[in-house]
Amino acid sequence: MKSLKQLLLALAVLTGSLGLNAAELNLFGWSEYVPQDVLDGFTKETGIKVNFETYASNEELLSKLVAGGGNYDLIQPSEYAAELMIRRKMLAPLNKAKIPNLKNVAPEFKGLAHDPKDEFTVPYMSGTVGIVVNTEKVKDPIRGYKDVFQPKFKDRLVVLDDNREIVTWALYTAGLPANEINSASLAKVRPIIAQWVKLVKVFDSGSPKTALINGDVDIGIVWSGEAALLWNEDKKFKYVLPAEGAHRFIDIFCIPADAPHKDAAHAFINYILRPEVSKIISRDFPYTNPNIEARKLLSPEELANPASYPAGPAKLETFRDIGKAAAEIDELMTDIKSAQ
Ligand code: N2P
């Protein structure tokens, strides 16, 4: 007679090969966004091991998913990439009964354009893309993109390495809409971008704050959470929402249609929606927290960080899925950068 140990081993091999091993979660998320403490806390409590892989743009996430083979259980796109995935039926509907902490999501983050019925997505963090100025080095007023991209700031700039973002800044500068992009509008902004990229010293989406902290550059166009960390480090780093308009992103969790560990994915979403867990995310990555209960736990200093919770009027827009124009943007940017 086989021992119980052998029997259990055979069972583990069988369930594992069928992809039924619930004790794992394959998470594919943005770099510099999910605290290690949160991953460890989840594993400690549930026994579910988290395999964490990162990316630095929505386009990188999309191309990995389309290529297949990733076996991801949980992904973290921004609103426009999620909208595209819903349109292409790439996502699994959420089982809301497994996510009771959804009650903590602020009403203004529900029913948004990318997922009007909140069937597939749960907000993780929100933020803006704006300008950080080292005010010890730059005394001129910097209000918008056209103040940043001046010849006198050549080699003093860091910007996100993100084609859709850069093209959007140029569209705003030219007074063109950010969500109706076509060959004609791209042709109009091409010369603007061609001038801009010559001035940039560092393209970095992963950790654009680093070039500013090191003093390699004096101005950046970065994610607001990066700007908030700079502000925490030194008040000389001032955050400015560009006068021409800026992207207000909502990064969300969703589950790929073919995810092997959907239960684990639901459990993780519910875990990060706990106020005390969400508070840790805000501590390490101070973006705008959409969790109303977590916000109550934040300190007055955290809530007063002007990059995390910007005050005052600003023209902010979320991005929409722009269909074929996305590929045109990538071509345009590759073209311009290779001509440098
Ligand atoms: C985190 C990047 C924020 C994502 N490093 C912007 N959508």
Side-chain angles (χ1 to χ4, degrees):
M1 197 181 87
K2 288 202 183 319
S3 72
L4 183 63
K5 207 167 148 192
Q6 277 173 313
L7 201 66
L8 287 176
L9 191 69
L11 198 66
V13 170
L14 184 69
T15 54
S17 66
L18 291 174
L20 298 176
N21 187 356
E24 263 186 63
L25 174 74
N26 299 322
L27 172 61
F28 196 28
W30 286 89
S31 56
E32 308 266 323
Y33 218 16
V34 187
Q36 190 60 44
D37 284 352
V38 167
L39 303 179
D40 294 345
F42 177 71
T43 302
K44 196 165 169 210
E45 187 173 302
T46 62
I48 299 173
K49 176 174 172 250
V50 183
N51 306 311
F52 187 34
E53 254 186 71
T54 61
Y55 53 85
S57 75
N58 284 294
E59 291 63 35
E60 191 182 338
L61 160 67
L62 287 169
S63 66
K64 282 248 175 84
L65 282 185
V66 170
N71 263 346
Y72 301 117
D73 298 306
L74 194 56
I75 53 172
Q76 199 181 35
S78 301
E79 71 290 337
Y80 71 100
E83 187 180 7
L84 176 154
M85 286 188 251
I86 293 171
R87 171 169 61 83
R88 292 205 199 156
K89 306 208 178 333
M90 292 165 71
L91 300 181
L94 297 171
N95 181 344
K96 293 189 190 173
K98 291 188 176 162
I99 319 175
N101 290 333
L102 273 174
K103 66 178 188 307
N104 299 334
V105 174
E108 66 264 31
F109 287 93
K110 292 186 174 163
L112 300 177
H114 58 270
D115 183 14
K117 292 191 202 140
D118 299 313
E119 290 168 282
F120 301 95
T121 64
V122 176
Y124 174 73
M125 281 282 168
S126 176
T128 51
V129 174
I131 303 166
V132 180
V133 183
N134 178 340
T135 54
E136 273 176 12
K137 296 280 179 58
V138 177
K139 299 294 176 193
D140 319 33
I142 303 290
R143 299 183 208 92
Y145 307 108
K146 67 174 183 345
D147 301 326
V148 171
F149 294 105
Q150 299 189 67
K152 64 177 165 191
F153 294 132
K154 183 172 165 51
D155 290 333
R156 295 171 66 190
L157 307 177
V158 57
V159 303
L160 298 176
D161 192 7
D162 190 296
N163 294 344
R164 174 101 188 243
E165 291 293 345
I166 295 173
V167 165
T168 302
W169 312 335
L171 288 165
Y172 281 136
T173 302
L176 294 166
N179 279 316
E180 288 145 48
I181 304 178
N182 51 44
S183 311
S185 62
L186 291 178
K188 283 193 187 139
V189 295
R190 174 189 277 264
I192 301 177
I193 301 170
Q195 286 309 311
W196 286 0
V197 298
K198 288 189 192 133
L199 306 174
V200 173
K201 183 164 187 192
V202 184
F203 288 92
D204 183 7
S205 294
S207 183
K209 64 182 165 312
T210 306
L212 283 146
I213 290 179
N214 293 346
D216 293 338
V217 297
D218 301 324
I219 306 179
I221 306 184
V222 305
W223 317 116
S224 56
E226 292 277 306
L229 289 169
L230 286 163
W231 170 262
N232 288 344
E233 182 92 10
D234 193 323
K235 302 290 178 273
K236 72 182 179 192
F237 293 114
K238 199 174 151 224
Y239 190 59
V240 179
L241 283 173
E244 299 93 336
H247 180 199
R248 173 180 179 255
F249 56 81
I250 299 145
D251 295 322
I252 60 207
F253 270 131
C254 47
I255 304 177
D258 57 357
H261 311 104
K262 292 195 175 71
D263 276 349
H266 281 86
F268 189 81
I269 294 175
N270 199 46
Y271 181 77
I272 61 103
L273 285 173
R274 276 189 206 165
E276 62 280 12
V277 173
S278 186
K279 177 181 146 76
I280 300 174
I281 304 171
S282 274
R283 179 198 69 194
D284 289 3
F285 302 109
Y287 287 84
T288 310
N289 196 325
N291 186 315
I292 19 175
E293 294 306 315
R295 281 224 208 157
K296 292 180 188 162
L297 304 179
L298 301 186
S299 68
E301 291 73 28
E302 285 176 295
L303 293 168
N305 189 316
S308 312
Y309 299 97
K315 181 185 164 194
L316 299 176
E317 282 182 295
T318 48
F319 285 176
R320 302 298 307 270
D321 169 20
I322 47 166
K324 289 198 199 78
E328 285 185 56
I329 287 180
D330 286 338
E331 270 169 45
L332 173 78
M333 288 303 298
T334 311
D335 229 43
I336 293 175
K337 280 188 172 174
S338 62
Q340 290 307 299

